[in-house]
């Protein structure tokens, strides 16, 4: 099986954020198209993604092995909150049940606010993949990618935190329960 998350995929996500956030931060009526990421910044992004990838993959495997059904995502929410706090983010819990919001501010918070959302819930499906990190919850699995969404979000937010000197504004990360 090909991995669902890879360094190139995460790097593209980060590059898109870094191209998008400055465009959104301009106070113009019609924002210009984003310019290509300079090679020095691209190299820095690659380095930071390489550092963030192993923890993100570990998070993916944990989320995959510990799925929770809609409105029961307490362990998932607790892990996300702990990881976001470890990044120095402000975290608000208990939103809509087990939902949470993490706030990441750049060193220059004067800019636009961007929302980044990930689902949290698993499905009532029995996993038969044989993966070493297969679901430990009988009759429940992450069968439609919410585990990837959460892990990629944590990796992306970790990289954005390390690059908070090259973008301005605020990212609101919403972990949505009971999708």
């Amino acid at each position: 099986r090909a991995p669902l998350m890879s360094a190139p995929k995460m790097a593209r996500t980060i590059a898109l954020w870094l191209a998008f956030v400055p465009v959104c931060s301009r106070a113009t009526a019609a924002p210009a198209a984003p310019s290509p990421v300079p090679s020095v910044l691209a190299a820095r992004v690659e380095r930071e993604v390489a550092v963030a990838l192993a923890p993100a993959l570990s998070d993916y495997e944990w989320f995959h092995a510990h799925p929770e059904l809609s409105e029961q995502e307490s362990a998932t929410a607790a892990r996300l909150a702990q990881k976001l706090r470890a990044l120095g983010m402000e975290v608000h819990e208990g939103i809509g049940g087990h939902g949470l919001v993490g706030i990441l501010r750049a060193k220059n918070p004067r800019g636009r606010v961007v929302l980044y959302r990930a689902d949290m819930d698993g499905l009532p499906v029995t996993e038969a993949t044989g993966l070493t990190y297969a679901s430990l919850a009988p009759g429940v699995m992450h069968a439609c990618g919410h585990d990837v969404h959460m892990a990629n979000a944590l990796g992306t937010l970790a990289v954005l935190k390390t690059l908070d000197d090259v973008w301005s504004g605020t990212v609101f990360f919403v972990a949505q329960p009971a999708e």
Side-chain angles (χ1 to χ4, degrees):
R1 270 176 67 110
L4 295 174
M5 184 174 10
S6 65
K9 287 180 185 176
M10 191 181 287
R12 282 193 299 274
T13 301
I14 305 300
L16 286 171
W17 271 96
L18 293 174
F20 179 74
V21 171
V23 169
C24 290
S25 297
R26 294 189 193 121
T28 60
S35 60
V37 178
S39 61
V40 172
L41 180 56
R44 187 171 166 205
V45 168
E46 277 186 36
R47 284 190 306 274
E48 297 301 339
V49 166
V51 169
L53 186 59
L57 286 171
S58 176
D59 289 330
Y60 161 71
E61 290 180 2
W62 188 92
F63 289 128
H64 191 85
H66 301 89
E68 297 172 296
L69 293 173
S70 291
E71 300 179 8
Q72 298 175 22
E73 308 96 331
S74 59
T76 302
R79 184 172 179 100
L80 283 168
Q82 180 268 323
K83 295 283 186 169
L84 297 174
R85 285 191 179 97
L87 292 173
M89 294 175 65
E90 178 182 330
V91 178
H92 301 270
E93 298 179 75
I95 299 171
H98 296 290
L100 59 93
V101 173
I103 304 170
L104 176 63
R105 292 180 177 84
K107 286 187 179 172
N108 176 7
R110 292 182 182 195
R112 299 291 175 151
V113 175
V114 178
L115 177 73
Y116 188 165
R117 172 189 159 272
D119 305 304
M120 300 167 57
D121 56 336
L123 296 171
V125 175
T126 299
E127 182 166 5
T129 63
L131 294 169
T132 57
Y133 52 90
S135 174
L136 300 172
V140 183
M141 78 173 284
H142 277 294
C144 78
H146 295 176
D147 46 357
V148 175
H149 297 171
M150 293 181 286
N152 192 51
L154 289 173
T156 299
L157 291 165
V159 173
L160 286 172
K161 176 64 177 170
T162 65
L163 299 172
D164 66 357
D165 59 324
V166 298
W167 61 278
S168 61
T170 304
V171 176
F172 277 72
F173 169 65
V174 175
Q176 179 186 345
E179 187 224 9

